Amino acid sequence: MFTLSSFFISILGLYNILSFSVYILNVLYPVAIGLMILGFVRKKKDNEKC
């Protein structure tokens, strides 16, 4: 019984870590894409100036 409860606790901990990492990815991914697009647009503008 004790091993079973600790097993459930470990599964809950893993699930919390996974959900947290997914949340971070959902937040960081759009930000990273936006920054990449901004950098790409800036580079294009600089090239047009030259």
Side-chain angles (χ1 to χ4, degrees):
M1 194 67 181
F2 174 71
T3 52
L4 192 67
S5 61
S6 63
F7 178 68
F8 273 119
I9 288 169
S10 64
I11 283 180
L12 276 173
L14 278 172
Y15 182 72
N16 282 337
I17 291 168
L18 276 172
S19 60
F20 186 64
S21 61
V22 166
Y23 171 73
I24 287 176
L25 277 174
N26 282 338
V27 170
L28 288 182
Y29 213 58
V31 171
I33 289 171
L35 284 173
M36 281 174 64
I37 290 170
L38 272 174
F40 184 70
V41 168
R42 278 184 182 172
K43 272 186 182 178
K44 243 187 168 179
K45 280 185 179 174
D46 287 345
N47 287 345
E48 282 176 7
K49 277 179 188 174
C50 294

